[in-house]
Amino acid sequence: MNTKQKVIIDCDPGIDDSLALMYALSSKELDVMAITIVCGNVPVELGVQNAFKVLQLMDRLDIKVYAGETKPLVREFVSAQDTHGMDGLGETYIEAPKGYAAEEISASEYIEQTLKLNDDISIIALGPLTNLAKVVQQDKYALKNVVRLVSMGGNYKSFGNCSPVAEYNYWCDPDAAKIVYENFAFLGKKIEMVGLDVTRDIVLTPSILSYLKRINKEKGSFVEKIVQFYFDFHWEYEKIIGCVINDPLAVAYFVDPTLCNGIEAYTTVETEGLCLGQTIVDAMGFWKKDSNAVICTSVYSTYFMEEFVYRIFGGNRKEIHSMLAQL
């Protein structure tokens, strides 16, 4: 019996998106149907190239890639190339495989058409929610067949990473995030939000990186190349030795929801003013609205890192557990 979960990964690769794709493609529980690209960390055309670079590394160039929205719904596009490098992969300028290009139809068209024909597909959204908002604008019932929607984005009690109160993905396109959250409320469904409250606990350190290279030289060297820029950024702005890898946690949580604990609450996103992009979580029920989100509030970070290392890079589980326990 095939028990794999069918998923569309909507992303904006991006350093940590690339690590998340590696995690997804290394997880036997997942059947990655397609990768859809949205503007975010980098412009869409760079995101498409970076997706193919990861697919080549993982020997999965059979997976189709769809180019999505090139700008947010309302506000001007502000990329995160200051964080990820001008090429989105730490300014490594790794060559993309020749002869591969995005499919002819757009990401939103692919998602809408696929969901109309299937009721067993989930979405892991690792970037701004512009593609999904576009789907909702085309058909407000289009997401009713989604089994699960896990979104890496937002923050509840944690401070922001691009403003005092906002996480980048939702800040980049707050109008899209609001539309998707409100649509899930309309459909009576729940988005699963993997935000900064939990992803900030997931830090790839130089020691772990060194270990990755020892157990899998090819993949470890690829990761070493792309994260050095990320390391430098995190040290300059957050004084972290290493880097926070947000997106792989969203994939890992999708595979195993016991990785995180959380609460259910009605949630929306601010679209104007100083608090633009802030996730408003009505944890105390002031608005008397039904929950439309599961908000992750804590994570078993060591367990995650064991899974991250073992799934992508191989090695011995006991050795990995012992190595991480020493750090």
Side-chain angles (χ1 to χ4, degrees):
M1 180 179 178
N2 185 0
T3 59
K4 287 189 174 186
Q5 301 175 77
K6 296 179 181 178
V7 295
I8 297 169
I9 300 181
D10 190 59
C11 59
D12 56 339
I15 294 168
D16 56 335
D17 298 75
S18 298
L19 300 178
L21 288 174
M22 293 172 71
Y23 195 107
L25 297 171
S26 301
S27 297
K28 64 181 184 299
E29 299 91 341
L30 302 183
D31 180 4
V32 179
M33 306 294 290
I35 297 170
T36 55
I37 306 299
V38 67
C39 64
N41 291 327
V42 293
V44 165
E45 60 271 18
L46 287 179
V48 168
Q49 291 180 29
N50 291 342
F52 281 121
K53 292 174 188 179
V54 176
L55 290 175
Q56 178 174 247
L57 174 72
M58 302 301 291
D59 194 24
R60 289 303 310 272
L61 285 166
D62 57 295
I63 295 175
K64 293 182 178 180
V65 177
Y66 296 83
E69 300 304 302
T70 60
K71 60 182 181 179
L73 296 181
V74 177
R75 66 172 306 201
E76 292 185 4
F77 174 44
V78 181
S79 78
Q81 287 164 286
D82 61 330
T83 306
H84 294 263
M86 292 308 296
D87 68 341
L89 292 182
E91 300 189 351
T92 54
Y93 298 101
I94 297 166
E95 188 175 352
K98 291 180 171 56
Y100 291 89
E103 299 299 307
E104 291 186 5
I105 67 170
S106 71
S108 61
E109 290 175 309
Y110 167 76
I111 293 169
E112 182 181 7
Q113 291 174 14
T114 301
L115 293 178
K116 281 183 177 178
L117 297 174
N118 299 275
D119 61 2
D120 60 348
I121 294 178
S122 296
I123 298 174
I124 304 175
L126 304 176
L129 297 176
T130 318
N131 286 342
L132 299 186
K134 195 72 173 180
V135 171
V136 171
Q137 289 180 329
Q138 292 164 181
D139 179 358
K140 66 180 181 180
Y141 293 99
L143 299 182
K144 66 181 174 59
N145 277 346
V146 174
V147 179
R148 293 173 64 192
L149 170 55
V150 171
S151 168
M152 190 281 116
N155 51 310
Y156 169 36
K157 293 186 176 181
S158 175
F159 55 92
N161 63 0
C162 60
S163 85
V165 297
E167 177 275 330
Y168 172 76
N169 285 340
Y170 292 2
W171 175 88
C172 180
D173 195 344
D175 301 276
K178 183 173 184 177
I179 285 172
V180 175
Y181 274 85
E182 290 184 348
N183 184 253
F184 259 51
F186 166 73
L187 295 172
K189 300 173 75 70
K190 292 180 175 63
I191 294 174
E192 298 168 63
M193 187 185 103
V194 181
L196 297 180
D197 298 84
V198 287
T199 65
R200 273 208 165 94
D201 289 339
I202 306 302
V203 179
L204 178 63
T205 66
S207 295
I208 296 173
L209 179 59
S210 177
Y211 181 63
L212 302 183
K213 284 182 63 182
R214 292 177 184 275
I215 60 175
N216 191 315
K217 186 175 180 180
E218 181 187 17
K219 293 176 183 175
S221 296
F222 175 85
V223 172
E224 181 182 47
K225 288 177 183 177
I226 69 173
V227 301
Q228 187 56 58
F229 191 96
Y230 223 22
F231 276 16
D232 294 340
F233 177 88
H234 279 82
W235 173 251
E236 181 178 357
Y237 290 97
E238 298 190 32
K239 294 299 180 280
I240 293 173
I241 298 178
C243 61
V244 176
I245 50 172
N246 303 282
D247 293 333
L249 179 59
V251 176
Y253 165 80
F254 181 91
V255 173
D256 183 0
T258 66
L259 267 173
C260 297
N261 294 313
I263 62 170
E264 293 190 10
Y266 180 82
T267 302
T268 189
V269 179
E270 179 57 57
T271 59
E272 298 179 343
L274 287 174
C275 295
L276 182 144
Q278 181 177 13
T279 319
I280 311 300
V281 180
D282 186 15
M284 303 306 294
F286 286 106
W287 290 336
K288 309 300 181 186
K289 293 185 177 182
D290 291 338
S291 164
N292 66 337
V294 176
I295 310 297
C296 293
T297 56
S298 64
V299 59
Y300 297 104
S301 56
T302 301
Y303 174 40
F304 162 81
M305 194 57 73
E306 288 182 13
E307 290 295 302
F308 176 79
V309 174
Y310 179 74
R311 285 172 181 262
I312 300 176
F313 304 93
N316 180 280
R317 277 192 180 273
K318 288 184 178 179
E319 180 186 273
I320 293 169
H321 178 84
S322 177
M323 185 278 297
L324 292 174
Q326 298 173 37
L327 302 179

